[in-house]
Amino acid sequence: MATASVADLPGGARGYLVLVALAQGEPPSQLALAKEVSLDRTVMTYLLDDLEAHDLVLRRPDPRDRRARQVVLTEAGRARLGDVRRSLASAEARLLADLTDGDAEQLRALLSRVAQTAQRELVAPDEMKC
């Protein structure tokens, strides 16, 4: 259901993660953004090319370091992100329709904890083994 919600977005789920990250604050450098969403720099370059071709993001020189490029969410990108978020919320509501509000909240909390563990493992797999 979630995959269908982001299917027409350039990059699909990866494109969605990038737009969400960009909507959260100060424009990051391309490298910082790649690290934040756990994507290889090369993959990030191609993904940003695609998002930029659809006028969802813009890359510009970083005023603090002209060698770096900042990635900025465009107004069209902000609008598209809102559309995708509404579509995802609708899909989630259909998926969780048979749960009580309390059960749905508990499921979200548990899945969030699992996702945090997975993210830590992805970022520092060797440290998790110690």
Side-chain angles (χ1 to χ4, degrees):
M1 291 177 141
T3 301
S5 295
V6 299
D8 66 338
L9 190 64
R14 288 178 172 171
Y16 174 72
L17 289 175
V18 167
L19 296 182
V20 168
L22 293 175
Q24 294 178 1
E26 180 74 21
S29 70
Q30 192 168 317
L31 182 59
L33 180 61
K35 287 179 182 179
E36 183 177 343
V37 297
S38 301
L39 285 179
D40 177 79
R41 291 180 317 181
T42 305
V43 172
M44 178 59 76
T45 299
Y46 289 116
L47 179 56
L48 290 177
D49 287 346
D50 202 13
L51 291 168
E52 194 168 32
H54 286 85
D55 191 38
L56 302 177
V57 303
L58 172 69
R59 287 179 278 198
R60 65 181 184 205
D62 187 330
R64 296 169 301 229
D65 180 358
R66 292 271 184 204
R67 296 168 296 168
R69 309 284 288 166
Q70 283 184 324
V71 184
V72 180
L73 188 61
T74 64
E75 286 305 313
R78 212 171 281 289
R80 188 77 173 274
L81 177 58
D83 293 343
V84 173
R85 282 180 166 160
R86 284 186 289 281
S87 180
L88 285 168
S90 176
E92 181 182 283
R94 289 191 313 275
L95 185 64
L96 303 181
D98 291 335
L99 299 180
T100 67
D101 289 346
D103 287 344
E105 191 56 41
Q106 183 178 14
L107 178 61
R108 284 184 197 98
L110 292 170
L111 290 172
S112 177
R113 288 170 47 195
V114 170
Q116 289 170 1
T117 301
Q119 182 65 24
R120 280 194 311 270
E121 177 64 21
L122 182 64
V123 170
D126 293 334
E127 293 176 20
M128 293 294 289
K129 293 176 185 174
C130 294

